[in-house]
Amino acid sequence: MGRHADFTPGSPRRRGTVLLLATAIVASIFATRLVDLQAVRGEALADAALTQRLRTLEIPAFRGSILDRSGQALAVTVEARDITADQTLIEDPAAVAVELAPILEVPQDVLSDRLSGDKRFMYVAKGVTPSTWDEISALQLPGIFSQETARRIYPAGDLASHIVGFVSADGSGGAGIESSFNELLTGTSGQQTYERGPGGRVIPTQNQSSVAAVPGSDVQLTIDRDIQFVAQEAIDSVVRKSGASSATAVVMDVQTGEVLAMATGPDFDPNRFTQALPEERRNRAITDIFEPGSTGKVITAAAIINEGAAGPLTPIKVPGTLKRAGKTFNDYWKHGTLRLTLTGAFAKSSNIGMILAAEKMPKVELARYMERFGISQRTDLGLPGESAGLMLSRENWSRTTFPTMAFGQGFSATTVQMTNVFATIANGGVRVDPSIISATIDPDGTINEEPAAERDRVVSEDTARQVMAMMEAVVGEGGTAPQARIPGYRVAGKTGTAQFVDPDCRCYAGDVTASFIGVAPADSPRLAVGVFVHQPKRGRGGGELAAPVFKEITTHALRALQIPPSGKRAPRLSLTTG
C-alpha cells in the first residue's frame, strides 16, 4: 500500500492548508479594497481629504477714510485680529479661559463657555489690536488662532460725529457719511485659501491661493476740523448753561456754499455709538425742522424791497396790537403806537411792523420768495435723513397764514436751510446750493472733485445790499443783538425767538427756539453762521442766548481763515421817522 498525505482532522498538514487559505482570502479582501481605494475611488477620496484640510478665509477690504478739508482723518480703518478657537483641540477650557481673560478683558466664565464644545470654529473675540494677538500668541495655547480683519476708529472722538456717522456691527455704515457713502467706502473683500494641518498649522502646498482685497475710496469733506471743534464746544456749552433740549450751529462759506462746520448738541462718540440714545445720534441740523421766527423776517424784507413795495426808510406806523381775520397779533414787548421805518421794524423785530410792510405786496409773492430761498426744498448735502422743511401750499392757506408767515412763523425749516437764506443775501442775492463733500479719492490716489454748486439769483444785488444794511442795524444801537458784535469786524444778522411747536399736541406749548444768524464781515461777506437753541430753560431770547455763541464761533473762524478786518464804517439807517 502506497504512501498518502495525512489530512486527518487536527493533523499539521490540514492546519497549514486552512491557514494558507485564510491568509489568501484576507489578502484578496485587502487587495480588492486597495484597488477600490486607489484605482476606483482614489481621486474622490483624495479630493474629500483635501477639502477637509482646505480653509478659505475672507480678506476684508480696508474701508476708505473720511477726511476733513485739509486731509485730517475723522474716520479710519486699522488692522485688527479676530480671535478664534477650535474647541476640539482644547483639553481644559477653564484653564485656557484663565489665561485669556485678563488679556481680552472678558470674564472667565464667558470665555470658558465659548471654548467648550465640539465646534471646529468659534469666535472668541473680534477686532482686537495686533499687539493683543501677539500677547495671546506668545502663550502658545492649543486650539487658539486668529484671522486678519479690520477695525473702524474715529481718532477725533465725538468731533463731527453727527456728520461722519458710525459703522454698525455688521460692517455697514449706520449713519452720516458712513451710511450715505457706504458702497464707495466699503471696497471689495479678497480671499485666501490654504491647507491646515494638525494643530491648525498652515501646510505650504500648491493649493494655496489668494485674491487681494481692494480698499474703499476716501471721502473728503468741506468741514474744517478746527472750526468744527470750536462750534461744537460752543454748542455744548450753551446747552449746558441754558438747559436746552438741543442746539445746532452751521458755518457756511457764502461764496461757495461749503459747510465749514455743522455742530449738534448733545453729541456722541462714534467709537462707542451703542452707548448713545437714538435721539443723540440724530443730526438735528438737517433732520429737525422748526419755525424760525424772526430770522424768517429776512425773507420778508428781501421780498418787499425786491418787489419795490417799500425801502429801508419807508415809514410804518406800528400800533400796539393788530387784528387780522379775528386774531390779535402782538410784539414781544408792550408798546403804544410807534413810528418806525422798515429798518426799525426789522431791527427791533416788530411782528406788527413786518405784517404791515408785507401787506404792501401781493400775498402770493411771499410764498414765491420763500421757495426761491430754498424753504420746503432739501439741500441735498448727501447726508441721510435730511428734511425738506414744511410750508403750506397757497391753496391751503388760512386767513391768518400770510400775516403769520410775514414774521417767521407758520412754516418750518432746518438750521442749514435758514443759514443758507442769509448766505444768499450775503452773496449779493445769489443762492448757492450748500455742500459738505469736497471730493472722493480712489484707492490709486485719483482725486474726483465735486462739481461746482448750482447758483440761482433770488433777489437783485441792490436788494441784497439794502437788506444787509438793515441786518447791520440789528447789531447796532437800538437793535436786538449787540452781543453779536465782533471787534474790528462789521457784523450783520437777525435774532429770532420763535414759539416751539410741541410734536405731541401740534400746538405752541410755551417753549421757544432762540436763534441768531449772522454774516461777517458785513462789508465783504465771507461767512454765514447760524445758531439755534431749542427749548431753553434758562434764558429765552435769541440776542441773549444765540448771539454770544455766534460771536464765539465766528471770531475763531475769521481768524482761522485769516479773513482781514473790515475797512469801512457801517451805514447808519434811521430806525424811526420821528
Side-chain angles (χ1 to χ4, degrees):
M1 185 173 177
R3 301 178 61 187
H4 297 281
D6 184 6
F7 285 102
T8 59
S11 68
R13 183 178 294 275
R14 182 176 180 84
R15 286 196 300 271
T17 302
V18 170
L19 180 60
L20 181 62
L21 288 174
T23 302
I25 293 171
V26 171
S28 176
I29 292 173
F30 273 109
T32 303
R33 181 62 173 165
L34 185 62
V35 170
D36 178 57
L37 291 176
Q38 291 187 340
V40 179
R41 293 196 295 157
E43 185 174 349
L45 292 171
D47 288 344
L50 178 61
T51 300
Q52 288 184 340
R53 296 194 305 273
L54 283 180
R55 289 288 307 278
T56 298
L57 296 178
E58 181 180 292
I59 304 174
F62 265 48
R63 192 175 179 88
S65 299
I66 300 175
L67 315 169
D68 86 333
R69 67 186 299 110
S70 64
Q72 296 186 75
L74 299 174
V76 294
T77 295
V78 296
E79 181 184 349
R81 292 275 181 161
D82 287 340
I83 308 303
T84 65
D86 182 339
Q87 295 174 342
T88 65
L89 300 177
I90 300 174
E91 295 182 359
D92 189 346
V96 175
V98 169
E99 298 270 17
L100 293 179
I103 301 174
L104 295 176
E105 297 181 352
V106 177
Q108 293 180 23
D109 57 341
V110 174
L111 288 175
S112 184
D113 287 343
R114 294 176 186 173
L115 300 173
S116 302
D118 56 4
K119 292 181 179 179
R120 300 299 304 273
F121 183 87
M122 179 73 176
Y123 282 111
V124 178
K126 290 187 176 183
V128 306
T129 63
S131 60
T132 298
W133 166 243
D134 289 342
E135 191 174 351
I136 293 172
S137 180
L139 298 175
Q140 297 184 334
L141 299 171
I144 301 299
F145 310 102
S146 82
Q147 59 185 31
E148 291 183 6
T149 185
R151 186 163 62 101
R152 195 65 161 173
I153 63 170
Y154 302 89
D158 59 6
L159 186 72
S161 57
H162 293 95
I163 303 168
V164 173
F166 57 86
V167 173
S168 301
D170 63 359
S172 62
I177 296 296
E178 295 278 32
S179 174
S180 55
F181 283 81
N182 183 63
E183 185 174 350
L184 185 72
L185 289 163
T186 299
T188 306
S189 298
Q191 284 188 338
Q192 182 180 21
T193 300
Y194 64 90
E195 285 190 54
R196 195 172 90 170
R201 61 186 180 83
V202 176
I203 303 174
T205 68
Q206 63 181 5
N207 293 308
Q208 285 184 305
S209 64
S210 64
V211 177
V214 179
S217 297
D218 296 340
V219 176
Q220 187 165 26
L221 307 180
T222 61
I223 296 298
D224 182 296
R225 179 173 169 152
D226 293 336
I227 298 175
Q228 176 72 28
F229 175 80
V230 172
Q232 203 161 304
E233 288 288 301
I235 284 298
D236 288 343
S237 178
V238 76
V239 168
R240 289 193 303 269
K241 290 177 181 178
S242 68
S245 63
S246 64
T248 55
V250 168
V251 180
M252 189 178 295
D253 186 315
V254 303
Q255 298 172 3
T256 65
E258 292 179 336
V259 176
L260 304 179
M262 180 188 292
T264 295
D267 53 33
F268 73 99
D269 185 347
N271 291 300
R272 293 181 288 274
F273 71 91
T274 56
Q275 298 177 14
L277 298 173
E279 55 266 29
E280 294 174 335
R281 301 198 297 256
R282 191 167 73 243
N283 188 352
R284 296 176 183 271
I286 61 168
T287 62
D288 288 17
I289 61 173
F290 48 86
E291 295 189 348
S294 292
T295 56
K297 291 173 181 172
V298 168
I299 300 175
T300 305
I304 292 169
I305 294 173
N306 206 61
E307 287 299 305
L313 299 179
T314 298
I316 302 173
K317 186 178 180 180
V318 181
T321 60
L322 182 69
K323 283 193 174 183
R324 290 292 184 269
K327 180 176 180 178
T328 300
F329 292 92
N330 303 279
D331 284 329
Y332 72 91
W333 81 104
K334 291 183 178 181
H335 60 77
T337 299
L338 302 175
R339 297 185 180 277
L340 303 175
T341 61
L342 176 59
T343 299
F346 182 83
K348 291 181 176 296
S349 208
S350 168
N351 295 340
I352 296 172
M354 295 307 296
I355 293 172
L356 293 170
E359 289 177 342
K360 296 178 180 292
M361 67 177 178
K363 295 180 179 180
V364 69
E365 293 301 323
L366 182 58
R368 186 170 68 90
Y369 277 96
M370 286 192 170
E371 290 174 351
R372 293 184 65 183
F373 272 106
I375 303 302
S376 74
Q377 301 169 46
R378 289 184 179 86
T379 62
D380 292 329
L381 281 170
L383 293 169
E386 183 179 6
S387 173
L390 183 64
M391 185 175 69
L392 290 173
S393 58
R394 182 68 180 84
E395 57 270 19
N396 291 324
W397 281 17
S398 70
R399 294 171 62 195
T400 59
T401 298
F402 175 79
T404 303
M405 290 175 64
F407 61 82
Q409 296 206 197
F411 68 95
S412 296
T414 66
T415 298
V416 171
Q417 286 175 324
M418 288 307 302
T419 304
N420 190 229
V421 168
F422 282 67
T424 298
I425 295 296
N427 195 40
V430 175
R431 181 175 182 269
V432 183
D433 286 341
S435 60
I436 204 166
I437 306 300
S438 173
T440 59
I441 305 172
D442 295 340
D444 63 3
T446 301
I447 299 175
N448 309 295
E449 294 185 355
E450 287 294 292
E454 292 188 10
R455 307 168 71 87
D456 178 50
R457 178 162 291 284
V458 178
V459 297
S460 70
E461 188 173 356
D462 186 55
T463 293
R465 179 185 58 78
Q466 293 182 66
V467 175
M468 281 290 293
M470 293 170 62
M471 287 163 55
E472 284 197 77
V474 173
V475 184
E477 295 298 327
T480 58
Q483 294 190 68
R485 298 173 189 166
I486 299 175
Y489 292 89
R490 284 167 54 182
V491 174
K494 185 73 187 77
T495 54
T497 306
Q499 297 180 80
F500 190 88
V501 178
D502 188 326
D504 294 329
C505 66
R506 296 186 180 181
C507 62
Y508 298 121
D511 290 328
V512 299
T513 291
S515 60
F516 181 83
I517 310 176
V519 174
D523 54 329
S524 182
R526 282 290 307 279
L527 301 175
V529 180
V531 177
F532 290 81
V533 184
H534 303 290
Q535 297 177 288
K537 293 181 174 61
R538 295 177 289 277
R540 189 173 179 87
E544 172 193 2
L545 292 176
V549 179
F550 163 87
K551 177 181 179 179
E552 180 179 354
I553 296 171
T554 309
T555 297
H556 175 81
L558 289 167
R559 292 172 180 169
L561 299 174
Q562 300 183 338
I563 298 174
S566 297
K568 300 178 181 179
R569 289 182 176 274
R572 295 184 64 86
L573 298 179
S574 178
L575 305 187
T576 65
T577 59

